[in-house]
Amino acid sequence: GKLFMAPYVISCCSTADLPEEYLNRRNISHICMHFSLDGCQYQDDLGRSVPFDAFYDAMRAGAETKTSQVNAGEFMEYFSSFLEQGKDIIHVSMSSGFSGTYNSAMIAKEQLQEQFPDRKIYIFDSLCGSCGYGMVVDRLADLRDAGKTMEECRAWAEAHILDVNAWFFVSDL
């Protein structure tokens, strides 16, 4: 099928846990979080720099791991690339309960709104993590691809973002 090019972008953080190939195929943009493994810094580029199995093997072997948020400057750079093309943005962020990333996105939005007064930027706090909010992003892409306007997508997100329930299981802490 022909790729429908909407005048707006559906975007998320790499923590939505959707594979890169899938994000590309669905035309969903993403910004990479950061992590460190035994003191070395990496972008969470969906397993490219450090394959997931290697990361978890290292973790099981006792490697020190930390994650860090995307800062406002990175969001400004990321969002501007779309705004400069004349596109509006719906960005669904990792939960503000887990990370300051949502706050960084909001700071960037405020500054960019002054630079691009004719563009719209909607930032949603998923209040969720992992594939829980990946499902929200996926549904927004479905709505966009069905020809829904950005305002219809925004209204859907506002009405349904709290409908997601996600269960996590960890083998150990």
Side-chain angles (χ1 to χ4, degrees), residues 78-121:
Y78 172 70
F79 289 153
S80 323
S81 68
F82 305 119
L83 300 170
E84 284 161 5
Q85 296 169 39
K87 292 189 174 216
D88 294 321
I89 302 164
I90 295 181
H91 178 79
V92 186
S93 172
M94 180 180 192
S95 173
S96 58
F98 297 145
S99 163
T101 297
Y102 169 73
N103 198 39
S104 296
M106 290 302 285
I107 292 167
K109 171 196 160 121
E110 276 170 40
Q111 297 186 10
L112 289 167
Q113 250 9 141
E114 291 172 26
Q115 258 178 277
F116 298 91
D118 301 335
R119 298 272 56 88
K120 289 192 183 95
I121 308 168

Side-chain angles (χ1 to χ4, degrees), residues 113-165:
Q113 250 9 141
E114 291 172 26
Q115 258 178 277
F116 298 91
D118 301 335
R119 298 272 56 88
K120 289 192 183 95
I121 308 168
Y122 295 128
I123 314 278
F124 285 97
D125 181 350
S126 69
L127 299 170
C128 200
S130 190
C131 47
Y133 89 90
M135 294 187 315
V136 171
V137 172
D138 197 53
R139 180 75 176 121
L140 288 170
D142 289 344
L143 293 169
R144 176 204 61 203
D145 294 349
K148 299 289 183 204
T149 66
M150 184 180 181
E151 297 303 328
E152 288 172 309
C153 283
R154 179 185 60 85
W156 183 88
E158 281 172 357
H160 296 286
I161 215 144
L162 295 178
D163 294 350
V164 176
N165 290 304

